[in-house]
Amino acid sequence: MSAGAAPHEVKSLRDFVPFILNELKPRGKIFTPFNIISVPVMLLGAVLIAYRMIMGLGSVTNLSQDFPWGMWIGFDVMTGVAFAGGAYVLTFVVYILRVEKYHPIIRATVLNGFLAYVFYAGALVIDLGRPWHIFNPVIGNKFGLSSVLFLVAWHFLLYMTAEFIEISPAFAEWLGWKRVRKILSSLTLGAVVFGITLSTLHQSGLGALFMMAKGKIHPLWYTQFIPILFFVSSIFAGLSLVIFEGTISHKVFRDQLDDEHRTSHNDILIGLAKGCAGAMFAYFFLKILIFMHGRHWEYLHTAWGLWYLVEIIGLVLIPCYLFLRGAMYKNLTAIRIAAIMTIVGIIINRLNYSVIAFKWYIPLPAHYVPHWMEIVTTLAIVFAEIWVFRWIVNRMPILRKPPAWAAEE
Amino acid sequence: MDRRKFLKSLGAGMLGAAGTALTAGKSKAAEIVGDSGKEFKGVLVDTTRCIGCQSCEEACAVAHDLPVPDIGDESVFEQQRDTSTTQLTVVNRYEAEKGEIFVKKQCMHCGQPGCVAACLVKAMQKRVDGPVTWDTNCMGCRYCMVSCPFDIPKFEYNSWNPKIVKCDLCWERLQEGEIPACVEACPTETLLFGTRRDLVEEARRRIYREPEKYVNYIYGENEVGGTSWIYLSAVPFEQIGFKTDLGTVAYPEYSTGFLYSVPIVLILWPAFLMGLSYLTRREEEKEKKENKR
């Protein structure tokens, strides 16, 4: 189906089944480099997940009694959710502040955020020891009301619903359901308001999880302000990923874009870079304040101090400057480099809390390092998300404009 | 169901996590009495009396259907041992300034446990008489392990149906009016079972009576808000494997600041966002009108 899709409506189940079957067929070239790499990784990942379910977590992970959380929590959940932050930031800009400039990328961003939650927060299922009890806090097989994790779990669930509502008009357009689309569109603003509120709380909530790990996280990282740091950093983490993903999408899904969108794209990236720079400067300032109050000068000339400086100078302050410079001189390369540096910085930051600076007093080799099988499983999940993203973008009006009948309303 | 419980579940049902913060932080220092008003039970460990016979380890294994260790084997003391999924308590030997000292290790049964505050399904519970126990509605997230200041909960990594394993202060035996198996088995009266208030008094009495024998400190009296197991020692506690930098704040207190802010954000954010949205819409409409002219 090309961008100018024929208007059709899936009316009944009899229409629905052949329509879906037809849509499930692969489009485009099959033997692309991405497919050749991703398919074996995903198959291996599936085997490893099955093996883990039968033999227990110890069979594929390097988790131990000292390191109960590893890469699956530290990278998949902590980092994946931070990167999904672009969705709440951009819905705020587009639907609350009504800055039309960013409208062309809103659907791709929300879809990406939604899929990130489904896949990366969904990766939690394989990390849970007893995943068949995952709905206990929802169905009330005891509400652990004093738990930060209880809050995070509920907010994940509610936020996924909110994001689904935000993206659902695209699904309705795909199926040609005019009335359903009208109803779903009318829910958007409510879902956005609800979604931003939930995001504020669970982005910071992920940080608040570590409050009770006092004494286990290196003093340079442990502070009572972890929740605020997690929230502020999710803003530029999300925006950097939007820049990164947008850059790739523009090459891969070129045929989906109209000329208007293509020309405005650079302008959008520059705007996002300004947003990143602002949020990063605020974050850096907070970090400095916290450092001053913490009075941890003595740690600065240890290896940990150096690692800390790499994170806040090398992967926050420098990309912040690059974003600013890139936005001033309209230098897109600088902006893209800054986005990649920021992404690396966020990965390191979240891993510091959950894995690297966690129990820093336990040196290698007793310290946790992910097993190769954990890394393969993570890659498999990332690839699966990209597959679903690609499948949807190729079929639904995500990057391209909505069908004419939808635009009229 | 009393009114407080009713409101708690109502809060959970209606607002999901919003209820959390409203009921979370009942601040209480060095807790010895539970919600029920019943005093917590605990154990006083007088490390000056322990001879390292490991009878407690044996009795514990028998009481919990775990593999019974060979307690004649003294080679186990050559290295520091940790509790594990098959050993809920272990005795370690330390070389301190006053010679060999044996220290029993198990769950401290905190007055306000981090693990209980961490659990999102209340699988970890502080029972009315003091024990911290684990239940099977656990989903295996291991947040209790992250939140325990003493790293006590242990997870069965090599099982498809893993449990969190830890000392439960022989909760089932307590129900039947018995005392914990380890206390019953101890031949030297190193372990003393009783209400925590009595145990602290007894510990003080021993220190006053023999000030040269003991360091003037009761470990667990104030650590992390007070624990149900408390320790006496002849040497400073850092020499015999205790964490002495834990502070006296109960661990759940560290997350109450965040939890308190939740209802504030949940109420203020939507109001603020809706207001902002209303303003920008009016601006947009104004612009449109002007354009028409």
Side-chain angles (χ1 to χ4, degrees), chain B residues 163-223:
Chain B
K163 297 192 290 289
I164 290 282
V165 185
K166 65 183 276 301
C167 161
D168 61 354
L169 200 58
C170 288
W171 186 61
E172 284 176 13
R173 287 170 59 101
L174 295 191
Q175 302 283 91
E176 288 157 16
E178 291 176 79
I179 64 170
C182 55
V183 179
E184 196 177 76
C186 181
T188 60
E189 294 186 339
T190 298
L191 307 177
L192 179 67
F193 179 75
T195 64
R196 191 175 177 280
R197 189 194 303 272
D198 292 345
L199 294 176
V200 172
E201 269 178 29
E202 174 60 22
R204 286 227 175 85
R205 196 177 301 136
R206 288 186 196 177
I207 295 173
Y208 290 151
R209 206 182 291 149
E210 294 174 273
E212 288 82 40
K213 185 175 171 189
Y214 297 102
V215 290
N216 187 8
Y217 194 84
I218 305 170
Y219 190 93
E221 186 185 7
N222 296 310
E223 267 72 21

Side-chain angles (χ1 to χ4, degrees), chain A residues 58 68 96 127 130 145 147 209 216, chain B residues 20 118 142-143 148 157 162 280:
Chain A
I96 305 290
D127 187 78
R130 305 156 69 87
L145 291 169
S147 171
L209 287 179
K216 297 183 190 177
Chain B
T20 300
R142 309 186 294 289
Y143 186 30
C148 174
Y157 282 105
T280 54

Side-chain angles (χ1 to χ4, degrees), chain A residues 192-210:
Chain A
V192 165
V193 168
F194 196 46
I196 295 168
T197 309
L198 291 169
S199 286
T200 311
L201 288 172
H202 75 241
Q203 292 285 1
S204 49
L206 282 178
L209 287 179
F210 292 108

Side-chain angles (χ1 to χ4, degrees), chain B residues 90-102:
Chain B
V90 290
V91 177
N92 280 314
R93 186 174 65 194
Y94 294 89
E95 296 295 334
E97 58 187 33
K98 293 188 183 172
E100 274 181 0
I101 294 176
F102 293 97

Side-chain angles (χ1 to χ4, degrees), chain B residues 51-118:
Chain B
I51 54 169
C53 71
Q54 302 177 64
S55 303
C56 51
E57 288 185 23
E58 186 183 50
C60 176
V62 172
H64 292 92
D65 288 326
L66 293 167
V68 179
D70 171 18
I71 61 169
D73 180 14
E74 287 208 1
S75 65
V76 293
F77 290 128
E78 279 160 20
Q79 51 196 6
Q80 298 300 318
R81 293 179 298 159
D82 192 6
T83 57
S84 69
T85 51
T86 51
Q87 282 184 293
L88 310 185
T89 184
V90 290
V91 177
N92 280 314
R93 186 174 65 194
Y94 294 89
E95 296 295 334
E97 58 187 33
K98 293 188 183 172
E100 274 181 0
I101 294 176
F102 293 97
V103 182
K104 180 181 182 297
K105 181 179 185 181
Q106 73 298 306
C107 173
M108 299 290 283
H109 298 276
C110 305
Q112 300 168 67
C115 60
V116 171

